[in-house]
Amino acid sequence: MKFVITAGPTREPIDPIRYLSNRSSGKMGYAIAEAALESGHDVLLISGPVNLNPPPGAKMISTVTSDEMHDAVHDHLHDCDVLVMCAAVADYKPANVSVQKLKKHQARLSLKLIRTRDILASVAKPDRPFLVVGFAAETTNLEEYAQKKLREKNCDLIVANNVLTGIDSDENEVTIFSRTGEQQKISRAPKKSIARELVKPFSNSCEKRLTKKM
Ligand code: CTP
């Protein structure tokens, strides 16, 4: 199967030297890429700026902004069976990017932010992969918010994790929710083990859809 996996943060520029971003390390997405390769799948990893070495055998596209990640995902959807949107895409970006460095003339500065495009929600026919997997990064009401994202972003599966304990860490604890109502909890473990546990249901669900289509 062909996996397209996004990982890491995006950076939304404010001026030539400043940006808005988040604490995503990319470890979960890179671990999923490695686990998918170990299971014999083809992997394209679309990654924001992280301090990690790409897993040997993965094709790589490096992106910086949410717009670049959006375009890279859409350029490769026609050749993808499983899309895993693990990246922590910024929700807002500055409305205007200053060409020159902003100087500190004022005592207070307000930045006007606008919404970024939602990459996951933008995945639609005719290029929709057989399996679309979203991630839900939550700090409260994990199940309720994850189920809401699953429906609103039209995912087949959503992997929910508590970012208070998971975001920068080498470990994670996740629950997979499916569109058909099943749930599977994966207890706290190193991200590499969690990734192996995730690739199994991803490939099984994709396999089921592929056979249904034949
Ligand atoms: N996502 C995306 N494009 C965005 C924002 C999020 O594709 N502009 C994807 C993420 O990669 C993830 C899923 O949507 O697979 C959920 O992301 P998350 O940050 O948990 O939620 P948001 O949609 O950003 O909502 P909120 O910040 O309100 O929780």
Side-chain angles (χ1 to χ4, degrees), residues 7 82 126:
V82 181

Side-chain angles (χ1 to χ4, degrees), residues 1 3 32 35-36 39 41 131 157 176 184 186 193-207:
M1 283 169 206
F3 277 60
I32 295 171
S39 305
H41 302 295
L131 193 78
L157 299 176
I176 313 172
Q184 183 190 341
I186 306 177
S193 326
I194 301 267
R196 283 187 213 110
E197 291 302 310
L198 287 174
V199 167
K200 288 177 211 163
F202 294 173
S203 28
N204 290 345
S205 306
C206 184
E207 187 80 54

Side-chain angles (χ1 to χ4, degrees), residues 28-50:
M28 196 66 243
Y30 276 57
I32 295 171
E34 203 177 315
L37 287 160
E38 273 170 23
S39 305
H41 302 295
D42 277 353
V43 172
L44 170 66
L45 183 57
I46 299 175
S47 175
V50 295

Side-chain angles (χ1 to χ4, degrees), residues 6 8 10 66 69-70 73 84-92 115-123 133-139 145 149 152-153 155 158-159 161 163:
T6 67
T10 66
S66 58
M69 189 173 274
H70 173 278
V73 167
V84 183
M85 278 294 308
C86 196
V89 185
D91 293 327
Y92 293 92
R115 287 278 288 270
T116 56
R117 287 180 286 180
D118 194 306
I119 306 171
L120 181 56
S122 71
V123 171
V133 183
F135 270 69
E138 309 298 346
T139 53
Y145 289 153
K149 283 178 192 167
E152 289 179 353
K153 301 191 190 222
C155 306
I158 199 149
V159 181
N161 73 134
V163 276

Side-chain angles (χ1 to χ4, degrees), residues 3 14 35 71 82 101 127 132 142 146 160 165 203 211:
F3 277 60
I14 298 169
D71 293 349
V82 181
K101 182 186 171 207
D127 281 337
V132 176
L142 193 99
T165 52
S203 28
T211 12

